[in-house]
Amino acid sequence: MRYTPQEESNLAVVKAALAAGAEDFTRFFTEIFTESTTWTIAGHGPVAGEYSGLDDLHNNAEKALFDRLDGPLAIAPRGLWADGDDVIVRIDSTGRARDGQPYRNGYLYILTMKDGKVVSGIEWLDLHAYYDIVERVAV
């Protein structure tokens, strides 16, 4: 597939953020999200919905997971594609919960980029795995 220069640039930015977050998933977000990024977690339940900015996303969605992990969450990209201003990313994550049980999840993101940052996006993940650790592990 041939990409435009803008698509190539967007892919390079996202690849760099994925590399930065390889051993600590939080770094992926801090590399390319901003305080004005609009983020949607697709699905059902308390964490599904729209978030406004990195702090909102962290405090109201990610923190519940990360507080229950015994160390950082590692990620491995499984696919990366561009279409105009959108970058589509498939990611797998692995970590260990504080109760010693493994935590794994898969994600599909559509990131809408502008000037090297994510302006909006949507995330699909295994919410069952997310809710399992949040309900199982006390903080």
Side-chain angles (χ1 to χ4, degrees):
M1 173 178 261
R2 299 195 73 142
Y3 291 115
T4 67
Q6 184 61 43
E7 289 169 333
E8 289 285 354
S9 175
N10 288 338
L11 285 168
V13 166
V14 174
K15 282 181 190 177
L18 288 166
E23 299 300 320
D24 182 353
F25 198 9
T26 61
R27 298 244 354 249
F28 170 77
F29 296 100
T30 59
E31 290 285 318
I32 57 175
F33 281 52
T34 71
E35 283 311 313
S36 61
T37 299
T38 301
W39 192 249
T40 301
I41 297 177
H44 302 282
V47 77
E50 187 172 289
Y51 298 88
S52 181
L54 188 54
D55 285 343
D56 186 26
L57 176 62
H58 174 75
N59 293 333
N60 297 301
E62 295 174 341
K63 188 174 182 342
L65 170 65
F66 295 146
D67 284 353
R68 288 162 171 80
L69 295 173
D70 186 22
L73 191 61
I75 59 169
R78 297 294 179 223
L80 191 63
W81 306 269
D83 183 16
D85 291 332
D86 292 333
V87 176
I88 299 96
V89 185
R90 184 174 163 227
I91 303 168
D92 288 336
S93 70
T94 56
R96 182 160 311 281
R98 288 186 174 194
D99 65 2
Q101 297 298 312
Y103 176 79
R104 292 182 181 83
N105 212 323
Y107 310 85
L108 180 69
Y109 294 164
I110 300 176
L111 312 169
T112 301
M113 309 291 294
K114 183 177 180 184
D115 299 326
K117 296 292 183 182
V118 175
V119 294
S120 65
I122 186 166
E123 168 182 3
W124 290 268
L125 72 154
D126 179 355
L127 284 174
H128 176 74
Y130 174 93
Y131 292 130
D132 177 63
I133 190 173
V134 168
E135 293 170 2
R136 187 183 78 240
V137 179
V139 289

